[in-house]
Amino acid sequence: MEDLSDIYKSYADEVKRFLTCLTSNVDLAEELTQETFYQAVKSIHRYNGKCKMSVWLCQIAKHTYYNYLKKEKRSNNDSVENMIQMGMDIPSNDEQPDVEIIKRNTLISIHKEIHLLNEPYREIFLLRTSISLSFKEIGEIFDKSENWARVTYYRAKLKLAERIDPYEL
């Protein structure tokens, strides 16, 4: 087994790219990358070597992100309820859009469509596009064949193409 600092040096960028794709937020991805490696250190004794280290770390990263979303949802619900109870107006975004906002909204729209995909399409699409895992590696993650991963990825792309109208973005 590699030294923990070597593991971090080898895989931190890959995990961060994966999380950036999931979150669409570089700062959040960096924060979650740190949390991912913290969780990995705590559970390194459970790594059995049946999959690549990068795959194992990305699965931890995915669960770290899901936990973050749960906490964020609870926090947002609490803050909106507090604002309503205090009689405060909920802020709105009535600013004039510029090019950067339009680009950001386009990326957000695309990521929303990705996240609306059912599993396993969403995860396979993200594993393939964000961290460039091979179809063989994706198949290993799901205990399926390389061909299954290829077909499922292709179907995910078709589903996204059906949902995303480039003229509406």
Side-chain angles (χ1 to χ4, degrees):
M1 168 105 24
E2 299 176 61
D3 180 87
L4 292 175
S5 63
D6 291 338
I7 292 171
Y8 182 83
K9 288 175 189 172
S10 298
Y11 301 105
D13 286 338
E14 193 171 338
V15 170
K16 182 182 169 193
R17 280 194 311 271
F18 174 70
L19 286 166
T20 300
C21 189
L22 276 177
T23 65
S24 302
N25 182 327
V26 175
D27 294 331
L28 178 58
E30 287 177 4
E31 184 180 322
L32 293 175
T33 298
Q34 298 303 318
E35 179 64 21
T36 296
F37 280 91
Y38 171 71
Q39 295 298 329
V41 167
K42 284 177 35 180
S43 60
I44 193 74
H45 63 279
R46 289 189 289 196
Y47 177 67
N48 57 16
K50 287 186 179 179
C51 65
K52 290 176 74 175
M53 177 65 72
S54 60
V55 171
W56 183 71
L57 290 168
C58 285
Q59 288 197 342
I60 293 172
K62 177 182 71 170
H63 291 291
T64 301
Y65 175 57
Y66 290 163
N67 289 337
Y68 167 81
L69 289 177
K70 288 176 192 172
K71 289 177 188 172
E72 193 67 21
K73 185 176 181 181
R74 280 192 299 255
S75 174
N76 284 343
N77 287 343
D78 291 345
S79 63
V80 169
E81 286 176 17
N82 289 341
M83 290 176 75
I84 292 170
Q85 287 174 354
M86 296 169 77
M88 298 172 67
D89 290 333
I90 298 172
S92 65
N93 245 352
D94 293 335
E95 300 172 6
Q96 204 56 346
D98 64 0
V99 175
E100 288 303 312
I101 291 174
I102 292 170
K103 285 180 183 178
R104 182 164 173 77
N105 288 341
T106 300
L107 282 174
I108 290 170
S109 295
I110 291 170
H111 278 280
K112 281 182 180 178
E113 291 302 325
I114 291 170
H115 286 285
L116 288 174
L117 287 172
N118 292 328
E119 290 296 345
Y121 300 111
R122 174 180 49 228
E123 189 170 354
I124 288 173
F125 186 84
L126 290 172
L127 289 171
R128 181 71 178 162
T129 58
S130 65
I131 58 173
S132 304
L133 288 183
S134 70
F135 291 115
K136 182 178 181 187
E137 292 167 328
I138 293 170
E140 288 173 3
I141 290 172
F142 288 91
D143 291 325
K144 304 281 186 177
S145 69
E146 179 179 346
N147 193 44
W148 174 88
R150 244 179 240 288
V151 169
T152 308
Y153 174 72
Y154 177 75
R155 290 178 181 163
K157 285 192 332 184
L158 288 179
K159 288 176 186 291
L160 277 176
E162 289 172 3
R163 290 178 171 191
I164 298 174
D165 182 0
Y167 299 108
E168 290 181 9
L169 297 176

